[in-house]
Amino acid sequence: MRRLENAFWFAFAVPTLGIVLVLFFAPFLYSALGSFQSKSGQLTLDNYALVARLYTKDVLYTVGIATFSLAIVLFIGILLCGYLRVYGNKLVEFLFKIPLFVPFVVVGHAMRVFLAPHGILNSMVAQIGLINLDNPPSLAYSWLGISLALAWKNMAMAVLLILGAFRSVHETYLEAARNFGAGAIRQTLDVLLPMSASSLAVASVLMFTSMLASFSIPLMIGGGKGAQMTMIDVYYRITYQGDYGAANALGVVSYLLASGAAIYYLRTVTRK
Amino acid sequence: MSEPHVRLVNITKRFGNTVAVDNVTLDVARGSFTTLLGPSGCGKTTTLRMIAGFHDPDAGDIFIGERRVNEVPSHRRNTAMVFQEYALFPHMSVFENVAYGLTIRGLPKPQVAQKVRATLKFLALEGLDDRSPHQLSGGQQQRVALARALVMEPEVLLLDEPLSNLDAKLRVSVRTEMTQIQRSLKLTTIYVTHDQEEALAMSDAIAVMHQGRVVRFGTPWEVYYRPRDRFVADFVGLVNFVEGRLVEVSPQVLVADVAGRSLRFAPEGLALRPGDGVLLSIRPECIGISLAAPTGAANVLHGQVAVSQFLGRLVRYWVAVDASTWVVDEPDPSTYSLLSGEVYLTIEPGKVHVIAAENKDKDEGGR
């Protein structure tokens, strides 16, 4: 009976497993193998040598932007979710979830309009005389613009995940802290944050890997000069140079960057 | 009663259309152990949480000492609460948990350490400083929660069913410990429970709550033996209810006709007249039971044992007398075997309590 039950559940899982194997593992293995092949099919490490020579700066740039964006998201997200958990505010919660329903391309365009040299932000700041629009600074087309746009886009996901974790902390813990005089910030930092640490780590991993793989926002907000995020490098390598070997090597490097975080995520999830 | 320390004056709390606490007025004596007792949903925890400052009353006033505290935030009321689930912070050690409130108060570290160690010692928790809450037994967790509250040297200690997560045996020992601690500190304590035995064992005063109201407030003895309505008599322990009509009234004794039988009982200072209807309560342990017909007893009933239960320290009998069933507790069953068949019940007049009386002319309410 037990074996029959196991067989049933295995059969139930086969389609899902099949899709993962066909659409994820097979292309991944194919790409990983391709990264060790020259155009003529010979086994080689040339693609990695090329990546190391041309793209080390881009890899560091990508990790730096993803880390900085994540720091912004976590800083704002934790304080905001602490406020929402302690006091509750449906309107603010709704407003912060709006980016969840805005596509990446739209975010990229909106942020370009907002952060451009003659964009909305500079126009507003110029109104109070802080900058001169004849020679305006620009957040767009810079690493900071990409970071801010990624942070804005990921904020909704952060609110969803962090608030969910904070809400799973029982009210009596907050009441106990409040009874001793802890305000909203101390309740957040002393109680909510440590008690949601593993959920927060998982949320951070998901957002970090998503940021590493971001493409449309860096493409639209990035300056097109200097360091680029790795997904743009992959795009150019394939589209303009037809160099799948180097593109695959860049993909494997990105995967390795994300896999450290992913391993932590999987371990946390399976432990739960 | 000594001077009131916590005073609730006509407090009401509503959640939507539900009235959780309905016009409650209560004086809690300084240094006393007062229990809010009642079934789930009676408003006892809501009342406690209003005193703690977690809920604002919709109407009425709360005083701690001379100070009206309605708008005072929780941590400025000088109360400390022990929660039902203890709410010990799982990421902090025992020491850190107990020190948390003092740290927030901004006390210097040496002073915090000294106070925490003294409190841990007082509650026999020495040596557990570095342990996490999950490494402690239920009883130890309960004491750490108490330590975390006591270290703040509160004016009033609030306890929300803190024993409900302990097993029956541990609960008895912890409640004894808790009572001793409270007595030694002479700390005004308000305790919430639905467990009537716990309330009777621990309290100086009990407020029985029902449907958001305090329906009886008194010492454990008064609440148990002198309930003023059917709910209190029934909720606090087992009871036999008897309805009858007075046939004889004198300063020394009242006689009621109960289903064709005469039942004699003490007047308790009540102004009753022949013909008045009465609702009487008699506790099971106030009824004697024997196989032989007793002589000289004021009230004797003859019946048949329907069910008996051996409960160790007593035997509980359900005795059928005519159409009614009487519950009788016989203490110390160690010297005889269980009774069965025909038995005699004896009831002393002084152990019958009048819960409600109805005037035959309908011009008076119950007492």
Side-chain angles (χ1 to χ4, degrees):
Chain A
M1 190 64 192
R2 182 80 187 160
R3 288 177 68 179
L4 197 68
E5 198 180 314
N6 284 342
F8 170 76
W9 286 114
F10 180 75
F12 200 65
V14 160
T16 315
L17 205 61
I19 287 171
V20 171
L21 286 173
V22 172
L23 297 181
F24 177 71
F25 273 110
F28 171 73
L29 282 175
Y30 184 74
S31 303
L33 284 174
S35 72
F36 293 103
Q37 287 177 336
S38 65
K39 281 184 180 168
S40 58
Q42 300 293 313
L43 276 178
T44 178
L45 287 174
D46 285 355
N47 294 322
Y48 287 94
L50 182 80
V51 166
R53 197 172 70 247
L54 296 181
Y55 297 113
T56 301
K57 198 177 167 190
D58 286 8
V59 170
L60 295 174
Y61 179 77
T62 304
V63 172
I65 282 183
T67 308
F68 185 65
S69 299
L70 183 64
I72 296 173
V73 168
L74 288 179
F75 180 75
I76 297 174
I78 287 167
L79 290 180
L80 172 75
C81 293
Y83 162 78
L84 291 173
R85 173 67 182 84
V86 172
Y87 296 115
N89 189 322
K90 292 279 177 202
L91 179 67
V92 174
E93 188 180 334
F94 171 73
L95 292 176
F96 269 88
K97 283 181 180 168
I98 287 176
L100 206 60
F101 309 103
V102 182
F104 276 92
V105 177
V106 177
V107 173
H109 178 68
M111 292 308 265
R112 196 163 57 171
V113 170
F114 184 68
L115 301 173
H118 290 92
I120 297 168
L121 179 64
N122 279 355
S123 301
M124 287 194 303
V125 178
Q127 290 285 322
I128 52 173
L130 286 179
I131 59 166
N132 179 5
L133 277 181
D134 293 336
N135 185 23
S138 173
L139 285 176
Y141 317 127
S142 71
W143 68 272
L144 191 55
I146 299 173
S147 302
L148 292 176
L150 284 178
W152 189 85
K153 173 62 186 160
N154 280 277
M155 189 56 73
M157 179 60 84
V159 168
L160 203 68
L161 296 172
I162 298 172
L163 195 55
F166 282 3
R167 283 200 172 129
S168 68
V169 174
H170 200 277
E171 184 67 22
T172 50
Y173 291 106
L174 297 182
E175 285 175 346
R178 216 174 292 153
N179 195 215
F180 294 126
I185 291 181
R186 286 213 71 149
Q187 286 176 56
T188 304
L189 299 180
D190 294 349
V191 182
L192 292 172
L193 193 57
M195 288 183 72
S196 313
S198 63
S199 302
L200 236 69
V202 169
S204 302
V205 167
L206 293 175
M207 286 185 288
F208 183 72
T209 50
S210 154
M211 287 171 183
L212 283 182
S214 58
F215 174 70
S216 45
I217 287 177
L219 190 68
M220 296 175 80
I221 305 241
K225 289 180 287 187
Q228 299 287 335
M229 288 189 77
T230 48
M231 288 305 117
I232 294 176
D233 294 331
V234 170
Y235 169 72
Y236 279 118
R237 210 72 217 173
I238 292 171
T239 309
Y240 296 108
Q241 290 165 301
D243 184 359
Y244 283 89
N248 285 337
L250 269 170
V252 170
V253 169
S254 298
Y255 175 77
L256 290 175
L257 289 175
S259 63
I263 287 167
Y264 177 84
Y265 167 73
L266 288 173
R267 283 183 62 177
T268 310
V269 167
T270 48
R271 203 184 304 141
K272 279 180 177 177
Chain B
M1 182 171 151
S2 62
E3 62 161 317
H5 191 177
V6 178
R7 281 195 301 134
L8 310 180
V9 184
N10 304 117
I11 58 163
T12 296
K13 180 69 188 173
R14 293 182 195 87
F15 295 107
N17 293 328
T18 309
V19 181
V21 175
D22 188 6
N23 200 28
V24 164
T25 294
L26 187 69
D27 283 355
V28 174
R30 187 176 290 278
S32 71
F33 193 114
T34 300
T35 296
L36 304 179
L37 172 69
S40 297
C42 71
K44 55 190 188 299
T45 296
T46 306
T47 304
L48 191 79
R49 291 170 65 83
M50 282 194 281
I51 298 169
F54 297 138
H55 291 321
D56 296 326
D58 294 319
D61 299 308
I62 301 171
F63 294 90
I64 295 179
E66 294 301 311
R67 196 163 62 123
R68 183 178 177 275
V69 295
N70 284 42
E71 285 82 31
V72 177
S74 170
H75 63 284
R76 293 195 199 282
R77 295 187 180 198
N78 207 10
T79 58
M81 179 121 161
V82 176
F83 296 87
Q84 187 173 1
E85 310 287 343
Y86 314 137
L88 296 175
F89 303 126
H91 53 286
M92 294 184 194
S93 66
V94 167
F95 184 94
E96 288 165 339
N97 263 287
V98 179
Y100 184 70
L102 299 174
T103 313
I104 286 190
R105 236 180 228 182
L107 260 65
K109 273 188 179 175
Q111 208 179 331
V112 170
Q114 182 255 322
K115 277 177 178 282
V116 171
R117 301 223 182 279
T119 309
L120 291 177
K121 187 178 177 186
F122 178 66
L123 290 169
L125 289 164
E126 286 167 301
L128 301 177
D129 318 26
D130 296 329
R131 293 220 192 147
S132 291
H134 74 268
Q135 293 174 307
L136 304 175
S137 67
Q140 287 170 330
Q141 285 183 31
Q142 199 275 334
R143 271 186 286 154
V144 173
L146 191 59
R148 192 174 64 170
L150 291 179
V151 80
M152 302 301 288
E153 296 172 6
E155 229 183 296
V156 180
L157 180 65
L158 307 171
L159 305 162
D160 184 10
E161 305 209 36
L163 306 184
S164 60
N165 290 324
L166 305 179
D167 63 62
K169 203 166 182 181
L170 189 58
R171 191 186 281 205
V172 173
S173 76
V174 172
R175 84 183 182 204
T176 310
E177 249 175 51
M178 212 177 226
T179 314
Q180 284 168 345
I181 291 164
Q182 190 273 335
R183 301 275 191 271
S184 71
L185 295 174
K186 296 185 174 62
L187 177 62
T188 305
T189 301
I190 303 176
Y191 186 89
V192 159
T193 185
H194 64 271
D195 185 326
Q196 35 98 8
E197 191 181 307
E198 211 168 273
L200 294 171
M202 298 173 83
S203 315
D204 297 314
I206 298 174
V208 183
M209 294 189 71
H210 181 47
Q211 294 175 339
R213 290 172 171 269
V214 172
V215 290
R216 183 74 169 107
F217 183 58
T219 64
W221 189 92
E222 287 167 340
V223 167
Y224 187 75
Y225 285 115
R226 294 292 180 265
R228 285 187 182 159
D229 64 27
R230 197 180 186 113
F231 170 79
V232 176
D234 202 23
F235 184 73
V236 185
L238 267 178
V239 69
N240 295 286
F241 289 115
V242 179
E243 285 180 22
R245 194 157 290 279
L246 287 176
V247 291
E248 190 183 324
V249 174
S250 75
Q252 291 76 34
V253 71
L254 302 175
V255 182
D257 176 72
V258 177
R261 291 172 185 275
S262 292
L263 188 68
R264 305 166 75 84
F265 54 99
E268 296 182 43
L270 298 171
L272 297 170
R273 290 180 292 175
D276 288 351
V278 285
L279 175 65
L280 309 171
S281 75
I282 308 159
R283 295 290 179 190
E285 65 274 18
C286 296
I287 303 172
I289 185 168
S290 60
L291 288 172
T295 52
N299 298 302
V300 178
L301 301 170
H302 184 220
Q304 188 90 19
V305 173
V307 181
S308 63
Q309 283 182 350
F310 177 68
L311 302 174
R313 61 195 163 90
L314 59 88
V315 180
R316 180 159 295 156
Y317 294 100
W318 280 261
V319 179
V321 177
D322 300 331
S324 60
T325 302
W326 292 68
V327 184
V328 181
D329 282 352
E330 177 65 357
D332 189 17
S334 60
T335 52
Y336 61 88
S337 59
L338 300 190
L339 304 178
S340 60
E342 290 190 3
V343 289
Y344 292 90
L345 306 181
T346 51
I347 305 164
E348 285 179 36
K351 293 186 177 178
V352 178
H353 173 59
V354 183
I355 287 184
E358 188 191 346
N359 190 272
K360 65 173 180 179
D361 301 325
K362 302 276 184 192
D363 59 355
E364 284 179 36
R367 53 180 286 177

